[in-house]
Amino acid sequence: MSPPKYVIGLDIGTTTARSFVYNVKGQVVGEAHSTLDLISPNPGWSEIDPEELWTKVLEVIKDCISEAGLIASDISSIGISCQRATFTCWSAVTGKHFHNFVTWKDLRADRYVNEWNASLSMKTLRIGGKLLYWCT
């Protein structure tokens, strides 16, 4: 009979990376967290250093496994929750990022979003969506 396997839950937020190890009963047997530094090079900008984020994610995973008294091979799977609207671009050749992550809090494109939301095209899409909803 093989020993029970464990699952890791990883939550990567805007300011914190958290990791939890769960046993087969759904009980937390190890946990770790680390804060992330937001970078604001200009007013309204909100960024995260990708290298720092990756380092912190690996750190919390290793720390929660260690706290649980386990080794990596005891983990059967991992579930990840993260920031949906944070992005960066990277080189397909080198795998290195071109710039920091731009977070959901960043306001650089705020003017363009407001213009788009007020445009006739967007209003037409909204009306069309409401008509389709009403018809179905």
Side-chain angles (χ1 to χ4, degrees):
M1 183 170 152
S2 64
K5 292 291 185 175
Y6 298 83
V7 175
I8 288 184
L10 176 64
D11 174 29
I12 307 167
T14 305
T15 58
T16 308
R18 298 175 193 158
S19 185
F20 299 88
V21 176
Y22 298 91
N23 64 18
V24 294
K25 296 178 181 177
Q27 300 165 320
V28 175
V29 295
E31 62 182 277
H33 72 277
S34 184
T35 58
L36 303 171
D37 297 320
L38 283 178
I39 303 165
S40 297
N42 293 303
W45 292 23
S46 182
E47 301 177 352
I48 298 173
D49 177 356
E51 296 299 327
E52 177 194 358
L53 178 63
W54 181 243
T55 299
K56 298 281 179 104
V57 165
L58 293 177
E59 177 185 298
V60 297
I61 291 172
K62 289 176 185 176
D63 289 351
C64 77
I65 291 172
S66 177
E67 184 183 292
L70 303 171
I71 58 175
S73 62
D74 292 327
I75 307 301
S76 64
S77 60
I78 184 169
I80 303 172
S81 170
C82 63
Q83 307 168 50
R84 295 173 291 161
T86 296
F87 73 92
T88 191
C89 300
W90 63 91
S91 168
V93 176
T94 67
K96 297 293 181 187
H97 56 86
F98 293 126
H99 56 82
N100 289 330
F101 282 113
V102 177
T103 77
W104 63 272
K105 294 174 69 173
D106 195 280
L107 299 176
R108 277 175 259 200
D110 197 45
R111 179 174 61 94
Y112 301 112
V113 171
N114 290 333
E115 286 176 11
W116 171 249
N117 285 337
S119 72
L120 182 60
S121 298
M122 193 62 176
K123 289 176 184 176
T124 303
L125 284 171
R126 283 191 194 112
I127 290 169
K130 287 178 183 179
L131 287 172
L132 287 172
Y133 178 77
W134 183 76
C135 291
T136 59

